[in-house]
Amino acid sequence: MLRSADGAATPKLVVTDTVFSMDGDVAPIDELLNLCERYDALLILDEAHAVLGPHLPETRTSGARWNVVRVGTLSKTLGALGGFVAASHDVVDLLVNRARSYIFSTALPPADAAAALAALEVVRSAEGQALTNRLAAHVERLSCAGLATPGHPSPIVPVIFGREQAALSASAALLAEGIWVPAIRPPTVPPDTSRLRVTVSAAHRDEDVGRLIEALVPLYAAARAGALG
């Protein structure tokens, strides 16, 4: 599509999540950066779920030659409220003056802005790095238990059950054990890919993750054997 529009006067935009919310996989950011640079396109990234990356190299996303617009939320990783757009001064000025969602929305309360700034300070500190490492270790444990592929890149771990009823039955069985893992069904995901959407956080303890694995692995095995739901 970019090649077919090359040389045209129409502006070109490439829009993507960095981490996709239902599979927990990541976009090929370096390849997208190369394409946008080659075809003079604006790259717009939604980084709502990018707590473990991918991290954009600042040398590739700054400067006057071309622009990257980064959209994020303050309500997930940072645990506050609201969101942000980070871009060049020209793009920010355009949004401030033309974006209806900005013009007709109220500003964040000062307490929420302060909470987001305090959380950002934690993320950038040694404590934040320790929390990030802890979260990555939780994901690795799920991979070692066969619930995610090796090296899974995000704390969103889809456990594919296929049939809707199997996913619903597994979710109900976990809830009966005091473990809340929602079942995701069509139309949110394609047919025959119903799943449990496991989302771990740094606030989970090691024993919490162990308890989840102990309860979920046999349910997953039963579903794969056709004995669940």
Side-chain angles (χ1 to χ4, degrees):
M1 293 174 66
L2 286 169
R3 188 182 300 114
S4 66
D6 194 24
T10 303
K12 296 176 285 294
L13 308 177
V14 176
V15 185
T16 182
D17 285 303
T18 52
V19 176
F20 294 93
S21 63
M22 287 299 138
D23 287 317
D25 53 346
V26 300
I29 299 299
D30 283 342
E31 295 174 40
L32 292 174
L33 286 169
N34 289 335
L35 284 173
C36 289
E37 190 171 31
R38 184 186 310 166
Y39 293 105
D40 193 29
L42 181 67
L43 180 61
I44 302 175
L45 300 173
D46 183 339
E47 300 188 78
H49 300 100
V51 57
L52 293 179
H55 302 294
L56 280 69
E58 295 302 325
T59 55
R60 297 289 309 279
T61 59
S62 60
R65 184 179 178 190
W66 59 290
N67 290 319
V68 174
V69 178
R70 303 171 71 171
V71 181
T73 177
L74 306 175
S75 63
K76 291 185 171 68
T77 302
L78 299 180
L81 187 68
F84 64 87
V85 177
S88 68
H89 287 296
D90 288 343
V91 172
V92 171
D93 285 344
L94 175 68
L95 294 176
V96 167
N97 288 281
R98 297 295 298 271
R100 293 173 61 87
S101 56
Y102 182 87
I103 294 169
F104 295 108
S105 295
T106 55
L108 281 178
D112 290 313
L117 285 172
L120 185 58
E121 290 178 0
V122 171
V123 168
R124 290 176 166 176
S125 70
E127 178 189 0
Q129 186 59 58
L131 290 169
T132 301
N133 293 342
R134 178 181 178 81
L135 178 56
H138 288 340
V139 177
E140 181 61 23
R141 284 188 68 188
L142 295 175
S143 296
C144 292
L147 298 172
T149 56
H152 187 75
S154 81
I156 301 170
V157 180
V159 181
I160 310 298
F161 281 75
R163 293 181 299 111
E164 292 184 38
Q165 189 54 53
L168 289 169
S169 296
S171 180
L174 290 174
L175 188 59
E177 297 292 328
I179 304 172
W180 184 67
V181 182
I184 309 296
R185 303 175 283 166
T188 305
V189 293
D192 300 320
T193 67
S194 292
R195 65 198 62 189
L196 296 187
R197 184 178 183 267
V198 177
T199 308
V200 291
S201 82
H204 287 118
R205 302 167 299 175
D206 290 340
E207 51 264 40
D208 295 327
V209 178
R211 187 163 164 245
L212 169 66
I213 291 171
E214 184 179 350
L216 182 50
V217 166
L219 291 171
Y220 186 44
R224 297 182 69 178
L228 184 67

